[in-house]
Amino acid sequence: MASDEVKLLGAWPSPYVLRARIALNIKRVNYEFLEEKFGTKSDLLLKSNPVHKKIPVLIHGENPIAESLIIVQYIDEFWASGPQILPSDPYNRAVARFWAAYIDDKWYPNARAILMADEGEAKKAALQGAIEGLNLLEDAFLKCSNGGKFFGGDKIGYLDIALGGFLGWIRVIERMGDVTLIGNCPNLLKWGENFAGDDSVKDVLPETEKLFEVAKFIVAKTKASAKH
Amino acid sequence: MADGVVLLDTYFSMFGMRARLALAEKGIEYEYKEENLGDKSPILLEMNPVHKKIPVLIHNGKPVCESLIIVQYIDEVWKDNNSPSLLPSDPYQKAQARFWADFVDKKVYDAGRRLWTTKGDELETAKKDFIEALKLLEAELGKKPYFGGENFGFVDVALVTYSSWFYAYETCGNFSVAEHCPKLMEWVKRCMEKESVSKSLADPKKVYDFVLFLRKKHGLE
């Protein structure tokens, strides 16, 4: 492989893979998208990410990079001459990293639990947590955006990508779980529309309808295996 | 004091130790505030309302939370400090450093916690997971003096603070880290020769006493 060839191992429904694709698009990097078949792990995946065996994996020349947020930062730093993804100020960078970590460690597990939990207290608690989290993110948006359309201001930045990866899934959870999440956050709702329409996003953002079908399948499968 | 730097922390936290260590590496003077987690201070609740956790670095009145984010912040702000960067400048090396620091938080922390909070089969699984994680890290270290290569770096900071908890883990789990990962223990000794490390890490015996206290409190003893 040439030393500057870029490949991305992924799957179209994955919010984490979407993050990497958006970052590559922002920098206008040509890459080959290698779709992993659902339920299987290719030899290339196992070889490139032996530790976690998960997608996405960015393979740049001979170098594999794993973990979506690490991949996004790598893309920003390697293709430094393109539009900046991370904020230039160290404090704003720390804030963006904080909220991205919050989304992954706290917010999304809560949101996902809305679908995976059985009805009753568990689902209510998950919903409550997800709504509180979105309110925090709505607040963060107002602080970070500085009047702009995105967390990154006038253009998409790190935190937009971190949350935006989940945009399709938020819509799916709302529909499948019959709940309102982003619908109650006017600024995030507008942000979502702007994000989805952006040039670096619109061609790679999965259609909510198709994600919905995948979600039904995954939820059923997860619930079935949990019972055994 | 370097432009008003305050650290909200607790003596025993391996996360707090990372912040102390990074500040020591950069030679930054700061005000240390020991928190009582059973009675969190108003300033902690104000500066980290989302997680209400330590460490919190307060720089010129503005809070930075989450230990690895704090370490990167310190590395980026005080980058011309006559001390080598904790993170490499090469983007790929940087990505690798972030990957392994993230691995420490994902795998070592969880297994370590289970070592002192569980018994029986769960404890045996925790031991297995913990040793497996350390072995992977040991392989990543390879023949290098530090994870950062010739210089003490980001992954070194991320992992070495856990070594202050090894004695507690070993005693609760009845095993020896040195027996399974001798090269890693050599690396720990090498790190402890650095003044910044030895003065930032908690005393392992005190950590063990603290763990015993927690175990009694949670009815595990």
Side-chain angles (χ1 to χ4, degrees):
Chain A
M1 197 189 326
S3 64
D4 55 0
E5 260 181 45
V6 181
K7 295 181 199 247
L8 183 69
L9 296 184
W12 67 265
S14 161
Y16 306 103
V17 170
L18 182 57
R19 287 168 168 175
R21 300 191 81 174
I22 293 168
L24 288 164
N25 285 351
I26 286 172
K27 301 284 187 175
R28 299 199 195 290
V29 174
N30 288 319
Y31 67 98
E32 191 187 346
F33 186 61
L34 299 170
E35 182 91 35
E36 286 283 312
K37 247 176 56 181
F38 188 80
T40 66
K41 291 179 199 275
S42 69
D43 287 343
L44 183 59
L45 174 59
L46 296 175
K47 188 175 135 222
S48 330
N49 190 2
V51 174
H52 299 304
K53 307 177 177 55
K54 286 182 174 176
I55 47 141
V57 183
L58 185 77
I59 307 176
H60 188 193
E62 298 296 320
N63 295 333
I65 300 118
E67 296 299 299
S68 64
L69 294 177
I70 294 176
I71 292 172
V72 171
Q73 290 181 85
Y74 172 80
I75 290 167
D76 195 34
E77 287 156 5
F78 187 88
W79 287 279
S81 58
Q84 248 191 331
I85 294 174
L86 272 283
S88 46
D89 173 71
Y91 186 73
N92 293 336
R93 266 206 293 282
V95 170
R97 285 175 175 144
F98 173 86
W99 287 112
Y102 171 80
I103 288 163
D104 278 359
D105 299 338
K106 291 261 148 38
W107 188 78
Y108 189 63
N110 241 335
R112 194 174 169 274
I114 295 169
L115 292 188
M116 296 302 179
D118 294 318
E119 288 295 327
E121 284 312 307
K123 181 173 168 179
K124 244 175 83 177
L127 178 60
Q128 177 80 343
I131 288 172
E132 273 167 20
L134 275 181
N135 287 335
L136 286 174
L137 288 164
E138 169 99 343
D139 215 45
F141 175 78
L142 291 168
K143 290 198 179 97
C144 296
S145 59
N146 245 328
K149 292 194 288 185
F150 302 109
F151 285 92
D154 294 325
K155 58 177 174 40
I156 283 179
Y158 184 70
L159 192 44
D160 299 282
I161 293 172
L163 184 59
F166 289 110
L167 189 58
W169 282 96
I170 292 171
R171 291 168 175 166
V172 165
I173 291 169
E174 284 181 320
R175 189 168 146 191
M176 261 186 98
D178 194 26
V179 295
T180 307
L181 291 173
I182 204 169
N184 282 330
C185 301
N187 291 291
L188 284 184
L189 198 56
K190 191 84 193 91
W191 163 83
E193 286 165 21
N194 287 327
F195 182 81
D198 189 87
D199 281 339
S200 57
V201 176
K202 63 180 194 266
D203 294 330
V204 289
L205 185 69
E207 287 168 38
T208 307
E209 203 48 53
K210 290 201 174 125
L211 271 185
F212 186 66
E213 293 303 313
V214 170
K216 280 199 290 193
F217 175 73
I218 293 175
V219 172
K221 195 158 170 274
T222 307
K223 285 191 164 164
S225 58
K227 286 191 165 76
H228 294 163
Chain B
M1 200 178 339
D3 286 314
V5 181
V6 178
L7 181 69
L8 307 181
D9 193 4
T10 60
Y11 176 71
F12 296 112
S13 164
M14 67 278 269
F15 302 105
M17 286 175 222
R18 288 165 168 178
R20 305 197 298 255
L21 181 43
L23 289 163
E25 276 287 295
K26 298 284 185 177
I28 299 162
E29 275 176 39
Y30 63 99
E31 187 188 341
Y32 179 86
K33 286 198 159 106
E34 178 82 16
E35 281 287 327
N36 173 3
L37 295 181
D39 183 18
K40 294 176 183 180
S41 73
I43 189 173
L44 173 57
L45 299 176
E46 184 199 328
M47 291 290 159
N48 191 0
V50 175
H51 301 299
K52 305 177 177 56
K53 285 181 172 178
I54 54 91
V56 180
L57 186 80
I58 309 172
H59 185 203
N60 292 331
K62 297 197 290 189
V64 181
C65 307
E66 298 296 294
S67 63
L68 293 180
I69 293 176
I70 292 172
V71 173
Q72 287 186 86
Y73 176 80
I74 290 167
D75 201 38
E76 288 164 12
V77 170
W78 286 277
K79 65 175 183 290
D80 298 316
N81 232 37
N82 292 327
S83 51
S85 277
L86 291 170
L87 276 149
S89 49
D90 173 74
Y92 179 64
Q93 299 303 329
K94 215 186 264 200
Q96 289 303 95
R98 288 181 176 134
F99 176 86
W100 286 105
D102 175 68
F103 176 85
V104 171
D105 277 353
K106 281 193 163 90
K107 300 283 180 191
V108 179
Y109 177 70
D110 180 66
R113 192 162 202 286
R114 284 184 277 134
L115 281 170
W116 66 268
T117 56
T118 64
K119 355 188 240 248
D121 284 341
E122 274 190 82
L123 177 56
E124 290 309 304
T125 307
K127 220 190 293 186
K128 183 176 143 289
D129 292 343
F130 185 76
I131 291 166
E132 210 174 272
L134 288 191
K135 280 199 150 99
L136 275 172
L137 284 158
E138 193 180 53
E140 173 56 24
L141 177 67
K143 293 190 162 70
K144 307 194 292 288
Y146 300 106
F147 284 91
E150 290 305 310
N151 292 318
F152 187 78
F154 190 62
V155 180
D156 302 280
V157 171
L159 182 60
V160 78
T161 61
Y162 279 85
S163 70
S164 63
W165 281 65
F166 282 179
Y167 176 70
Y169 292 152
E170 287 168 323
T171 312
C172 293
N174 192 27
F175 72 104
S176 152
V177 174
E179 191 191 308
H180 297 276
C181 303
K183 291 255 175 287
L184 201 66
M185 285 315 289
E186 279 170 29
W187 163 81
V188 171
K189 283 198 188 82
R190 189 175 306 125
C191 291
M192 289 298 284
E193 283 163 16
K194 287 170 63 68
E195 197 194 332
S196 59
V197 177
S198 58
K199 81 174 185 186
S200 303
L201 265 50
D203 178 299
K205 294 274 161 58
K206 288 190 180 155
V207 171
Y208 178 59
D209 288 340
F210 174 64
V211 169
L212 281 182
F213 161 76
L214 287 176
R215 279 166 67 94
K216 284 201 180 78
K217 195 168 158 214
H218 295 281
L220 292 159
E221 281 291 312

